[in-house]
Amino acid sequence: MASQLEQAKRLAKEAPQQATELYSSVLFADSTSSYTVADREVALLSMAALFERMQDAVALTKLINGSQGYLTSVSKAKSSKLIRTLVDRFNGIEGGLQPQIATCQGMVEWARGENREYLRQALETRLISLYLDNRMYTEALSLISLLLSELKKLDDKMQLVEVHLLESRVYMAIKNLPKSRAALTSARTAANSIYTPPPLQAHLDLQSGTLHAEEGDFKTAYSYFFETMEGLSVYVTPKSVDEDLASTSAAGDLSSGGSPANFEQRQLQAFAYMLLCKIMIQQPDDITALLATGKTASKFRDHRAVAALQAVAKAQKQRSLADFERVLSEYREELQNDELIRNHLTALYDTLLEQNLVRLIEPYSRVEIAHIAKLIGLPIRVVENKLSQMILDKVFCGILDQGNGCLVVFPETKHDSTYETTLDTIKSLSNVVESLYVKAATL
């Protein structure tokens, strides 16, 4: 009854255990009771949200497995939506990835047994995403291969776009960029023949930008990240302070979208990548102008991830390694959690260190390594390792005199092209002699 659901809702914050019992009595009541299908749905979703708030992955798993009887009594479309919503409730539980994978695998088997092919394929697509999050790349690729063969026979373009996009992300995670780009091309080809929802198009643009950034084409990557941010702007709404427990807003599949909070998080990611592109193409001054214009950019101005990249741009502009290291230490979580930002900032740090060392050793033909380390403000061991790497990479000519703790720099030798010119001359003469021999043979 509605009064029992209202009572459970009131008890949810103060006495969650009692609220759970009330919701269970509604959900698992026998068919002769007065509870409607809508009442059972509210009870199911409210219990799932309550377990998410309680951080109880085990109870949520039991709830999903125990509700299969109710799910068979509702329409296939309704049950598909409910199952995806219930599985996504694990996202808010710390350490809930493994239980989510196990639950999703169980629901895939249940859907296969109930002959619900569309639901099974949707759950397998979600399972691929979970495998990717858990770094189970072999399992993800094998499931992608099976699912793609089925979807191509059914000609389900929308699902094909999603699976190809996931395939591209998996290959990029294992650093196979050619196959990642091929999968993304397949996803865009399928997307061109159908109407692509803006959230899915934004994910395609984000993946394209990430691939271009990995290949060093930061200007093209910037344009894709901008399209991603603008494409999601219409879906972002202010978040409610007091979220209803029975809300079904969770991260769903890409074609149907997700919650405003997820869209905003994806927007922030794209904007952070835009700032990273400006840093990598040596245009840190453009970041200030970028933050000052546009409603979407201005709302992220005070976010820590944006502040971290602003500090990186300032350190880069001043070419200060000390400031760069201070920023990396102060904003460690924001700069280290994202793989793309972490990798490119590591490369930027190495470039900045190399530039500073070249500038410091330029006046010398022989200098103590300890003196260089003092000037640059880094440990001697770090400076020595970097100098040896630069010598091997032929950044400059020199040797490390470790017995005296010195760096000996040799003057750069001019390239002598005599040998190359001689070889080209001999090759040309050889061609002339051979042509004359051929003509003589025809006489």
Side-chain angles (χ1 to χ4, degrees):
M1 298 175 70
S3 59
Q4 194 164 350
L5 291 173
E6 289 294 328
Q7 184 183 358
K9 186 177 178 181
R10 287 194 299 270
L11 291 171
K13 291 184 179 179
E14 300 174 358
Q17 194 61 40
Q18 295 180 27
T20 302
E21 293 174 359
L22 289 172
Y23 284 135
S24 297
S25 64
V26 175
L27 177 61
F28 299 112
D30 52 28
S31 56
T32 59
S33 63
S34 58
Y35 297 116
T36 63
V37 173
D39 291 336
R40 295 173 190 269
E41 179 183 345
V42 171
L44 175 62
L45 294 174
S46 299
M47 281 182 71
L50 186 59
F51 289 144
E52 180 185 8
R53 181 174 294 180
M54 294 167 61
Q55 299 289 297
D56 194 343
V58 176
L60 182 56
T61 301
K62 290 181 179 178
L63 172 66
I64 295 174
N65 293 333
S67 62
Q68 292 176 358
Y70 164 72
L71 293 172
T72 55
S73 65
V74 297
S75 65
K76 290 185 177 181
K78 172 68 73 174
S79 64
S80 299
K81 183 179 179 181
L82 287 174
I83 290 171
R84 289 198 297 268
T85 303
L86 292 172
V87 170
D88 286 331
R89 281 296 177 187
F90 284 98
N91 294 339
I93 300 177
E94 186 176 354
L97 186 56
Q98 288 292 349
Q100 189 177 18
I101 291 174
T103 303
C104 196
Q105 289 171 336
M107 295 309 295
V108 166
E109 293 303 320
W110 176 79
R112 183 178 283 111
E114 293 289 324
N115 254 351
R116 300 192 178 189
E117 294 302 312
Y118 176 76
L119 174 60
R120 177 184 61 78
Q121 291 167 356
L123 287 172
E124 285 181 340
T125 304
R126 186 75 181 96
L127 186 58
I128 293 168
S129 178
L130 296 175
Y131 283 154
L132 176 60
D133 293 339
N134 202 37
R135 301 178 184 273
M136 300 169 64
Y137 304 128
T138 304
E139 292 83 350
L141 289 174
S142 61
L143 185 55
I144 285 171
S145 178
L146 294 173
L147 193 54
L148 282 177
S149 62
E150 291 183 19
L151 295 174
K152 286 175 182 177
K153 292 176 184 177
L154 296 173
D155 201 29
D156 188 345
K157 298 290 187 182
M158 186 68 71
Q159 197 82 355
L160 267 173
V161 173
E162 294 183 34
V163 177
H164 276 306
L165 180 57
L166 287 169
E167 182 185 18
S168 177
R169 291 178 58 198
V170 172
Y171 278 124
M172 191 174 67
I174 60 178
K175 303 302 180 184
N176 192 335
L177 296 185
K179 285 194 174 182
S180 178
R181 180 163 294 283
L184 183 61
T185 302
S186 300
R188 286 196 173 278
T189 302
N192 287 338
S193 61
I194 58 170
Y195 167 73
T196 307
L200 180 56
Q201 183 62 49
H203 279 77
L204 288 170
D205 290 336
L206 184 64
Q207 181 66 10
S208 297
T210 305
L211 268 173
H212 280 287
E214 288 286 356
E215 294 171 350
D217 186 3
F218 294 104
K219 289 186 177 180
T220 307
Y222 178 89
S223 64
Y224 277 116
F225 294 141
F226 179 80
E227 291 296 330
T228 301
M229 191 179 70
E230 291 300 313
L232 292 174
S233 59
V234 295
Y235 289 87
V236 178
T237 57
K239 289 182 282 187
S240 173
V241 176
D242 185 18
E243 183 184 2
D244 187 359
L245 277 175
S247 172
T248 61
S249 65
D253 56 274
L254 300 178
S255 60
S256 62
S259 69
N262 290 325
F263 289 141
E264 188 166 2
Q265 185 64 29
R266 196 61 74 177
Q267 248 193 335
L268 174 61
Q269 184 184 19
F271 185 63
Y273 289 169
M274 287 169 62
L275 299 184
L276 176 67
C277 290
K278 288 296 183 183
I279 292 171
M280 297 306 295
I281 59 178
Q282 308 291 323
Q283 295 178 354
D285 291 334
D286 290 356
I287 291 180
T288 304
L290 187 62
L291 289 168
T293 58
K295 184 189 296 185
T296 307
S298 61
K299 73 178 179 180
F300 295 129
R301 190 179 300 143
D302 299 326
H303 199 279
R304 276 187 63 83
V306 175
L309 289 168
Q310 279 184 285
V312 169
K314 185 177 179 181
Q316 182 204 28
K317 184 179 179 181
Q318 296 175 351
R319 295 186 178 181
S320 172
L321 277 174
D323 290 347
F324 201 105
E325 288 189 329
R326 179 184 56 77
V327 171
L328 291 179
S329 176
E330 183 179 350
Y331 296 99
R332 179 173 297 276
E333 184 177 349
E334 289 78 14
L335 298 177
Q336 297 296 320
N337 286 349
D338 189 286
E339 186 177 0
L340 185 69
I341 293 177
R342 182 178 66 248
N343 292 342
H344 285 295
L345 287 187
T346 301
L348 180 64
Y349 177 81
D350 287 340
T351 303
L352 197 59
L353 175 58
E354 190 173 297
Q355 290 173 349
N356 276 266
L357 286 173
V358 169
R359 180 171 55 84
L360 287 174
I361 67 176
E362 189 175 5
Y364 302 101
S365 60
R366 185 181 182 90
V367 60
E368 290 184 353
I369 299 175
H371 178 64
I372 300 175
K374 182 180 178 182
L375 290 175
I376 205 168
L378 291 174
I380 295 176
R381 176 60 59 185
V382 173
V383 173
E384 187 176 335
N385 288 338
K386 185 60 180 177
L387 287 173
S388 64
Q389 180 185 342
M390 291 168 66
I391 292 171
L392 291 173
D393 292 340
K394 298 183 180 179
V395 177
F396 65 90
C397 297
I399 60 169
L400 289 174
D401 185 356
Q402 291 183 320
N404 297 315
C406 293
L407 169 69
V408 181
V409 182
F410 301 140
E412 189 173 347
T413 56
K414 294 182 180 180
H415 179 66
D416 189 354
S417 59
T418 304
Y419 295 109
E420 287 82 355
T421 306
T422 304
L423 288 172
D424 290 339
T425 304
I426 293 173
K427 185 177 180 182
S428 299
L429 287 172
S430 176
N431 291 334
V432 171
V433 171
E434 286 185 9
S435 62
L436 289 173
Y437 178 77
V438 171
K439 288 182 179 179
T442 57
L443 293 177

